[in-house]
Amino acid sequence: MTRDIDADEAARHKAKMEKRKAVQDAEIASKTVEKGLLIVNTGPGKGKSTAAFGLILRALGHGWRIGVVQFIKGAWSTGERKALEAFGDQVSWHSMGEGFTWETQDKARDIAAAERAFAKARELMADPEIRLLVLDELNIALRYDYLPLADVVATLKARRPDLHVVVTGRNAKPELIEAADLVTEMTLVKHHFAAGVKAQQGIEF
């Protein structure tokens, strides 16, 4: 049911929105810099990689070429990978991890996998046709010291000016946060795993 709005309320609302629009327009007009961003999605909540894949979809809508390197996840069959395969060579996807550290239980093997993944990331960063690069779960590799933090941060900071890079994974290092242009922390408020709900197709993978 629609609530009736009298003339005075409508006029007050219109005046308020006119002022708000003027402020918003001025704020937008003051932003003049265009650059490739270093984006970090971190925190204990669900949605870090999901947000990155949503950004991929937006970029694909504008015809961009995309790169994805997964540092921990291996050859898992995921819905996002299947969906993005429909875009052909517009997406360069590389799942180079061997599973989480508690699965491999072999640090040397994990380090070797992370090094191969970061070499691939460097390769994609050097490709001038790639406009957006997602480094999925890179934060996990850095958390366990599989890669030298200083070298990774320096490489990301030295990316070409028009390249956007998204790094995902909980426990982002302070040095990476400092280097980033945009950092979003996913906060855990409630999670269905705590109620015994297992990972489900279409939601977790």
Side-chain angles (χ1 to χ4, degrees):
M1 182 176 178
T2 303
R3 182 172 69 87
D4 290 334
I5 299 174
D6 62 29
D8 287 345
E9 184 179 357
R12 288 194 302 271
H13 178 78
K14 185 174 187 300
K16 181 179 179 181
M17 291 302 108
E18 284 175 347
K19 289 179 181 178
R20 176 70 185 273
K21 183 179 182 336
V23 170
Q24 291 296 118
D25 288 350
E27 179 74 10
I28 291 169
S30 71
K31 312 304 181 190
T32 58
V33 176
E34 186 171 338
K35 58 171 282 189
L37 300 176
L38 176 56
I39 300 169
V40 175
N41 295 341
T42 192
K46 177 175 166 56
K48 297 175 287 293
S49 296
T50 304
F53 296 134
L55 191 60
I56 286 174
L57 185 60
R58 176 177 291 163
L60 286 169
H62 292 289
W64 291 14
R65 281 204 68 224
I66 310 298
V68 178
V69 179
Q70 294 190 298
F71 279 76
I72 303 299
K73 301 181 182 84
W76 298 355
S77 178
T78 61
E80 58 268 25
R81 183 171 186 172
K82 290 178 181 178
L84 293 174
E85 284 174 353
F87 289 88
D89 62 5
Q90 199 175 342
V91 178
S92 181
W93 186 291
H94 306 273
S95 295
M96 305 191 70
E98 297 195 46
F100 290 100
T101 185
W102 58 83
E103 294 172 339
T104 62
Q105 301 175 11
D106 185 336
K107 187 166 185 175
R109 180 174 155 188
D110 290 338
I111 289 172
E115 289 174 342
R116 288 192 299 272
F118 198 63
K120 176 57 69 174
R122 287 177 185 270
E123 178 186 318
L124 294 174
M125 289 175 73
D127 182 346
E129 293 188 2
I130 298 289
R131 303 259 329 253
L132 172 66
L133 176 61
V134 172
L135 304 179
D136 191 36
E137 305 286 12
L138 172 57
N139 285 335
I140 304 301
L142 293 174
R143 176 187 181 187
Y144 289 109
D145 298 319
Y146 295 163
L147 295 167
L149 175 62
D151 289 353
V152 170
V153 172
T155 298
L156 295 175
K157 289 173 71 172
R159 70 193 183 282
R160 66 177 196 275
D162 64 337
L163 177 64
H164 301 281
V165 177
V166 184
V167 176
T168 74
R170 60 178 59 199
N171 299 116
K173 294 285 190 177
E175 294 86 346
L176 180 60
I177 290 173
E178 176 65 27
D181 299 288
L182 171 62
V183 179
T184 299
E185 183 171 10
M186 309 296 187
T187 302
L188 178 61
V189 176
K190 189 175 185 179
H191 204 301
H192 49 281
F193 282 10
V197 180
K198 69 178 184 179
Q200 299 178 88
Q201 187 179 66
I203 301 299
E204 275 78 35
F205 59 92

